Amino acid sequence: MNEHSLKSFRYIFGMNSVYLGNNYLWTSFESLFLPYVIELLVPSRLQTIYLGIIAFAGIIIGIAFNFLSGSFSDKFHSRYGRRRPMILIGSIIVIFSLLLFIIIKETIVTIFIIYILIEIGSNIAYGSYQPLIRDIIPESQRSTSSGVGGFFTLIGSAFGFGLSGVLIGTGRIELATVLILITIAAGSIITIFTIKREDYISNSEIIRRKLSGVIKNFKQSTKFKWMAIANFFITTGSSGLVFFEYYYFEYSLDLKDTAIYVAIAGVTILLISALSTVGIGILADKINKEIFLLIFPLISGFSILFISFIHAFYLFLVLGSLIGIAYGNYFTITNSFMSFIVPHGSAGKYLSIFLVSTEIGAAFSPLIYGLVLFLFRGMGSAEYSRLFELSSIFYFIGFALILLKVVNIQGTANGRA
């Protein structure tokens, strides 16, 4: 690796470091903090429905702030840049919310308000740093950047499962929260200072980008639309499962020390997935990305379907690792793929629109699965089998839409980008 490539790689690492803290935060709350606290405050028969409703409301509100942040930062100009001020504001809101969680978490209403604030802050930051791949990274390095971003995403999630799981399992939820807070602050600061120079774009450059993107936008709008719809179904298939993993281990697999098992599963699956993302991201810069858009949802759909037939923790780890590899790499490849089909000058708006499909799926997913578990309550492991079967159906719908409406079958077969 020559000196220029080494500097570029360091820059990509610095720019993507913000993903570490954000996903450490989201995984901790979705998989452990919310289920654990709700279990303490709510009767067992109502826990899944409360969890589903709180998750749905928080994510839906977060969607609005994500879209506003992405669109606003497209047009915002200041001495501090375009994206950096919004990343800073969002991170401050998250840190303030985590401090509240440390001090006050005795009622379900308090938990709901804190989770709303966390969703607002994290989505303000996310809506502004997501377009950076389009703003800053050359086309030849976007899949590499997405791979690094995916690596940080999965490592952050592994921290959420591992560190938070062990600390909650040993009764130290406050310490778990402090570690998230520190990671959020450090990652945001590194990203803000990394993009300091490149976050300034002149008005003439913005105008040129908007004009050059008009024709391209007309050509790509159909593919963008169907990819967003397919992404909604794939996200719906996956996102909500993480909220109920804690209860699945406790009530279906009948495992004691539930938080510890969540930690073991999360760390194992995500480390395996993280190791694959950078390599596949680099590979995707050299071959057709569309083939990956087809393969990964199909692998996830079948793996989740098979989970409905097994009742052993070690088999869950095997299938979960396949799902982690497939979904983690689908996420990173999709980020790169979308950067090629959104118009110049409006990357924040278009990527925020695409993220809306992700966030709406992420919002409805726990609500749907919470309702499924509530309706099939009392059926033991069968209620979770229904949940996994439904999840696989969502994945297969997303795969079918990508196959029929997004990818160029002939181009994919011939290996063209």
Side-chain angles (χ1 to χ4, degrees):
M1 183 179 289
N2 59 40
E3 185 177 353
H4 176 73
S5 298
L6 184 60
K7 287 181 179 179
S8 297
F9 203 65
R10 287 174 178 171
Y11 184 88
I12 288 172
F13 260 76
M15 189 195 79
N16 283 287
S17 64
V18 71
Y19 287 100
L20 178 67
N22 217 37
N23 286 278
Y24 185 7
L25 167 75
W26 281 343
T27 299
S28 296
F29 266 83
E30 292 173 358
S31 302
L32 291 159
F33 284 30
L34 285 179
Y36 175 78
V37 174
I38 288 173
E39 187 176 48
L40 297 177
L41 299 174
V42 176
S44 59
R45 69 183 186 280
L46 299 175
Q47 288 168 7
T48 57
I49 194 67
Y50 265 85
L51 179 55
I53 291 172
I54 290 173
F56 171 77
I59 296 171
I60 282 291
I61 292 172
I63 290 171
F65 282 89
N66 183 286
F67 180 75
L68 290 172
S69 175
S71 299
F72 180 73
S73 63
D74 277 339
K75 303 177 178 64
F76 182 70
H77 302 282
S78 76
R79 59 185 296 184
Y80 304 106
R82 295 195 302 161
R83 314 291 187 190
R84 293 192 303 151
M86 302 303 291
I87 295 172
L88 180 61
I89 290 170
S91 300
I92 290 172
I93 293 173
V94 169
I95 290 170
F96 171 74
S97 303
L98 292 175
L99 289 172
L100 284 181
F101 184 75
I102 293 171
I103 300 169
I104 308 171
K105 53 179 177 293
E106 283 72 27
T107 69
I108 198 68
V109 173
T110 303
I111 297 302
F112 177 75
I113 293 172
I114 291 173
Y115 185 63
I116 294 293
L117 289 173
I118 288 173
E119 284 288 343
I120 289 172
S122 60
N123 276 282
I124 288 174
Y126 194 84
S128 293
Y129 63 69
Q130 190 192 24
L132 292 175
I133 187 173
R134 186 68 156 105
D135 290 346
I136 294 172
I137 302 299
E139 290 187 4
S140 62
Q141 295 179 324
R142 286 181 187 167
S143 289
T144 301
S145 179
S146 292
V148 172
F151 175 79
F152 278 124
T153 295
L154 294 170
I155 292 297
S157 296
F159 283 174
F161 281 117
L163 287 176
S164 297
V166 170
L167 290 172
I168 289 177
T170 54
R172 292 179 287 180
I173 192 170
E174 287 79 12
L175 177 58
T177 308
V178 170
L179 292 178
I180 296 171
L181 188 155
I182 293 171
T183 308
I184 288 280
S188 299
I189 290 169
I190 291 171
T191 295
I192 286 169
F193 279 97
T194 298
I195 66 171
K196 182 176 181 180
R197 184 180 62 183
E198 287 79 1
D199 196 30
Y200 299 96
I201 299 179
S202 68
N203 289 328
S204 60
E205 173 67 2
I206 293 171
I207 292 170
R208 185 192 68 78
R209 286 184 175 186
K210 287 185 177 180
L211 290 175
S212 66
V214 172
I215 296 176
K216 184 178 180 180
N217 184 41
F218 276 110
K219 293 180 179 179
Q220 301 290 357
S221 59
T222 299
K223 182 175 287 192
F224 176 88
K225 176 184 69 176
W226 284 108
M227 189 62 210
I229 294 171
N231 187 64
F232 163 79
F233 283 104
I234 290 171
T235 305
T236 303
S238 176
S239 181
L241 297 178
V242 72
F243 285 93
F244 302 99
E245 184 179 21
Y246 185 96
Y247 297 148
Y248 170 67
F249 286 170
E250 183 173 3
Y251 299 123
S252 182
L253 299 186
D254 196 28
L255 298 173
K256 308 304 179 186
D257 298 321
T258 309
I260 302 297
Y261 278 98
V262 171
I264 293 171
V267 170
T268 301
I269 291 169
L270 288 166
L271 284 179
I272 292 172
S273 180
L275 290 174
S276 71
T277 54
V278 176
I280 290 179
I282 295 172
L283 180 64
D285 275 330
K286 305 180 185 300
I287 65 175
N288 196 328
K289 298 173 180 61
E290 294 184 347
I291 192 170
F292 293 111
L293 294 178
L294 288 173
I295 291 173
F296 291 137
L298 201 59
I299 292 174
S300 294
F302 278 113
S303 299
I304 290 174
L305 181 62
F306 291 148
I307 288 179
S308 64
F309 299 106
I310 62 102
H311 303 288
F313 180 70
Y314 75 94
L315 291 176
F316 175 87
L317 285 181
V318 173
L319 292 172
S321 296
L322 287 176
I323 296 166
I325 291 171
Y327 185 72
N329 283 286
Y330 163 81
F331 172 78
T332 58
I333 295 300
T334 299
N335 278 350
S336 173
F337 180 76
M338 295 307 297
S339 74
F340 285 95
I341 68 173
V342 298
H344 281 292
S346 298
K349 181 175 70 176
Y350 275 83
L351 290 176
S352 290
I353 290 172
F354 182 75
L355 189 64
V356 166
S357 71
T358 301
E359 293 295 321
I360 290 178
F364 276 97
S365 186
L367 181 62
I368 292 170
Y369 295 152
L371 288 171
V372 168
L373 293 174
F374 180 72
L375 292 174
F376 289 96
R377 66 191 184 280
M379 295 181 62
S381 60
E383 63 189 79
Y384 287 92
S385 295
R386 302 294 85 78
L387 184 149
F388 294 129
E389 290 161 2
L390 179 59
S391 171
S392 66
I393 290 171
F394 285 129
Y395 262 107
F396 293 143
I397 292 173
F399 162 79
L401 290 174
I402 293 173
L403 176 66
L404 298 174
K405 297 291 187 179
V406 177
V407 303
N408 180 344
I409 300 295
Q410 184 178 359
T412 300
N414 293 334
R416 294 195 299 268

